[in-house]
């Protein structure tokens, strides 16, 4: 390959693209449509677009790679342009390298245009690590350009490009971890997504946009580089100068496919740290589904008739009655809380009621959103209602609404702010009782606070509020679980100090007993 000739050809291709209206549509109009779509979809985000920049730029690169690049190659091949290239002293590598370079310039310029417009028109802040973002986007573009080259080598006409491109574009969006969160997909689909470069692309770009840079996504960057190599090998094995089919170069084809499978197997292997871990989802069940059945004594075997002189046999014990449900929140006792099957709650890393581990927030945009909620919370009227149960409900709605709207990653970190604030506002004796009461009566109380969340910088939910109440129920039990885990094993319900909380809790709670039992 002649590097100088490759750069000269790349410049020629760029000039031709600038004169081609269809190339401009694929190269720049589609990315702007994607930007507008993301702005509408995530209009509730306090920080526009930034938390979804990985998805947006990946979709942009995927569209240019699956449609723009192969369409240009196949159109030229149909007109016989590549047969003329074959007659020149330059080899195929020179022309392919020039095409890749020109496509990189188009994709990077389209990405820069999207970011600039998002900052100017939508108020998006500057990505945290611009240099890392550029490197990640280059690797993403190379991996996806490789897919486009494969499409160009397989397609015999421009309409075939559109069909094959859709066969890659849509699955990558739906099950490849680009447009649909992996946590909302079945386990087998999450495993399958490891064989697509989309999930690694989103993780690598997002880490530079809002995270700690490229260090935590080393595996994703390596996977993208290997995907680019595997795609190049497969495309090279299928390369043709004209529309005539030729037999694939088997060693290159086998090597590329083997490398592709190896990346997928490594990505699907449990234990490898990834930005999008494989998680399960749990449906929202009714409150009684999280209560253990009352203990009953084992069935008593029929007594065997005893000899006349034998001592009389003891009669079977009367089966215990189910515990009586408390009539009000002040009547909740330790035995009521002990009935909650905390192990049945949705996984903290799942789609429903997620809670990230403390100290894992590395997203500057999310930190700013949480700071806004924390700073405006003292002036929020629903946080000061007289009824303590209603006040706790209002606080739980703060965590429940982002969860219902899937405002990831805010939905995973904001619950800790609510948890800490509840421990500050409620006594250590009353908080567990109220959380249990809300968990078992999620549809009671007033829900007007749901429509007042905009004062905290959060979206207000309109329409039916049942979904918000269900999420509030789950967070009530998750908070109660953390309080329960911190209490000593001694008799009674002494909350003491929760190791998860960064501040001192109020004095030890008195023993929780039934009203009238002392």
């Amino acid at each position: 390959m002649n590097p100088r000739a490759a750069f000269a050809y790349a410049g020629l291709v760029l000039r031709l693209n600038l004169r081609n209206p269809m190339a401009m549509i694929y190269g720049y109009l589609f990315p702007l449509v994607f930007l507008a779509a993301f702005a509408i979809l995530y209009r509730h985000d306090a920080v526009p677009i930034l938390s979804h920049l990985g998805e947006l730029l990946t979709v942009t690169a995927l569209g240019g790679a699956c449609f723009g690049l192969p369409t240009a190659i196949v159109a030229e091949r149909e007109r016989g342009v590549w047969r003329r290239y074959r007659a020149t002293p330059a080899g195929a590598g020179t022309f392919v390298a020039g095409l890749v370079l020109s496509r990189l310039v188009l994709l990077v310029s389209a990405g820069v245009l999207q970011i600039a417009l998002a900052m100017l028109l939508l108020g998006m802040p500057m990505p945290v690590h611009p240099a890392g973002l550029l490197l990640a986007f280059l690797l993403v573009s190379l991996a996806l350009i490789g897919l486009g080259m494969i499409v160009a080598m397989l397609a015999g006409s421009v309409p075939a490009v559109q069909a094959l491109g859709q066969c890659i574009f849509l699955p990558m969006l739906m099950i490849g971890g680009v447009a649909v969160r992996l946590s909302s997909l079945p386990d087998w689909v999450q495993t399958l997504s490891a064989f697509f470069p989309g999930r690694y692309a989103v993780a690598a770009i997002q880490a530079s946009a809002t995270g700690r840079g490229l260090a935590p996504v080393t595996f994703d960057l390596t996977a993208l580089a290997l995907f680019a190599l595997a795609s190049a090998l497969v495309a090279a094995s299928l390369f043709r100068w004209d529309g005539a089919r030729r037999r694939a170069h088997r060693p290159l084809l086998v090597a590329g496919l083997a490398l592709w499978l190896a990346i997928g197997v490594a990505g699907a292997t449990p234990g490898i740290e990834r930005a999008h871990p494989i998680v399960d989802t749990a449906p929202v069940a009714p409150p009684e589904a999280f209560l253990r059945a009352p203990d009953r004594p084992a069935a008593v075997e029929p007594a065997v008739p005893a000899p006349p002189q034998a001592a009389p046999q003891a009669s079977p014990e009367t089966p215990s009655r189910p515990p009586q449900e408390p009539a009000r929140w002040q009547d909740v006792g330790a035995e009521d809380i002990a009935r909650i099957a905390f192990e049945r709650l949705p996984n903290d890393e799942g789609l429903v009621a997620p809670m990230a581990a403390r100290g894992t927030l590395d997203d500057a945009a999310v930190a700013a959103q949480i700071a806004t909620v924390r700073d405006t919370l003292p002036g929020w009227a629903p946080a000061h209602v007289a009824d303590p149960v209603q006040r706790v409900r209002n606080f739980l709605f703060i965590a429940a609404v982002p969860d219902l709207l899937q405002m990831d990653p805010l939905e995973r970190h904001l619950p800790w702010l609510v948890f800490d604030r509840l421990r500050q506002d409620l006594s250590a004796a009353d908080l567990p009782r109220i959380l249990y009461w809300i968990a078992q009566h999620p549809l009671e109380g007033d829900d007007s606070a749901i429509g007042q969340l905009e004062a905290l910088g959060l979206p207000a939910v309109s329409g039916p509020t049942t979904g918000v109440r269900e999420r509030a129920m789950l967070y009530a039990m998750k908070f109660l679980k953390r309080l329960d885990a911190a209490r000593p094993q001694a008799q009674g319900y002494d909350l003491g100090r929760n190791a998860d909380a960064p501040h001192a809790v109020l004095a030890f709670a008195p023993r929780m007993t039934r009203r009238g039992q002392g």
Side-chain angles (χ1 to χ4, degrees), residues 134-193:
L134 176 60
L135 177 59
F137 187 66
L138 288 175
L139 281 176
V140 169
S141 299
L142 286 174
L144 298 180
I145 284 173
L147 289 179
M149 293 297 296
I150 294 176
V151 171
M153 296 304 112
L154 291 175
S157 63
V158 172
V161 169
Q162 305 302 316
L164 289 174
Q166 293 289 355
C167 291
I168 295 177
F169 186 78
L170 294 179
M172 194 86 73
L173 292 182
M174 303 305 297
I175 64 174
V178 178
V180 180
R181 290 178 56 191
L182 291 175
S183 57
S184 63
L185 300 174
D187 290 346
W188 69 270
V189 178
Q190 296 179 28
T191 301
L192 182 62
S193 69

Side-chain angles (χ1 to χ4, degrees), residues 477-490:
M477 285 187 281
K478 287 202 169 188
F479 292 168
L480 187 56
K481 175 184 177 181
R482 281 156 174 80
L483 293 175
D484 183 74
R487 69 184 177 92
Q489 296 301 319

Side-chain angles (χ1 to χ4, degrees), residues 264-478:
V265 171
T269 301
I272 294 181
E273 184 176 354
R274 293 182 295 268
H276 297 282
I278 295 178
V279 296
D280 58 348
T281 60
V284 179
E288 56 271 17
F290 299 98
L291 292 180
R292 295 186 180 91
D295 296 332
R296 297 181 180 274
V300 179
E301 296 293 337
V304 178
Q309 294 80 12
Q313 299 292 320
S315 60
E317 296 182 1
T318 303
S320 61
R321 295 181 179 180
Q324 182 179 1
E325 287 296 324
R328 57 176 189 164
W329 71 265
Q330 292 92 338
D331 299 337
V332 174
E335 64 273 21
D336 297 311
I337 297 177
R339 291 181 59 203
I340 298 180
F342 292 117
E343 68 277 3
R344 300 177 190 172
L345 291 173
N347 191 291
D348 285 346
E349 295 180 341
L351 180 66
V352 179
M355 285 189 70
R358 276 197 186 270
T360 59
L361 177 57
D362 57 1
D363 191 318
V366 174
Q369 287 180 276
I370 294 177
T372 299
V373 177
R374 181 176 59 249
D375 295 342
T376 55
L377 199 53
W380 193 49
H384 303 285
V385 295
D387 181 10
V389 177
Q390 185 60 52
R391 189 162 68 248
V392 174
R393 285 188 194 275
N394 296 341
F395 278 115
L396 292 172
F397 292 152
I398 297 175
V401 167
D403 173 36
L404 183 66
L405 298 178
Q406 297 187 21
M407 297 175 64
D408 186 61
L410 176 66
E411 61 175 332
R412 294 184 282 115
H413 297 280
L414 185 59
W416 286 112
L417 172 63
V418 177
F419 179 69
D420 293 341
R421 184 59 188 263
L422 287 175
R423 296 187 67 181
Q424 291 174 354
D425 284 12
L426 279 296
S427 72
D430 290 344
L431 181 57
R433 295 185 176 108
I434 295 175
L435 289 174
Y436 175 89
W437 184 264
I438 293 175
Q440 294 306 307
H441 305 84
L443 300 182
E444 293 183 357
D446 180 39
D447 59 9
S448 60
I450 299 175
Q452 304 177 45
L453 294 176
E454 290 179 325
L456 302 176
L458 298 174
V461 176
S462 59
T465 59
T466 303
V468 180
R469 289 175 173 272
E470 290 174 342
R471 264 67 175 184
M473 172 192 72
L474 294 176
Y475 278 118
M477 285 187 281
K478 287 202 169 188

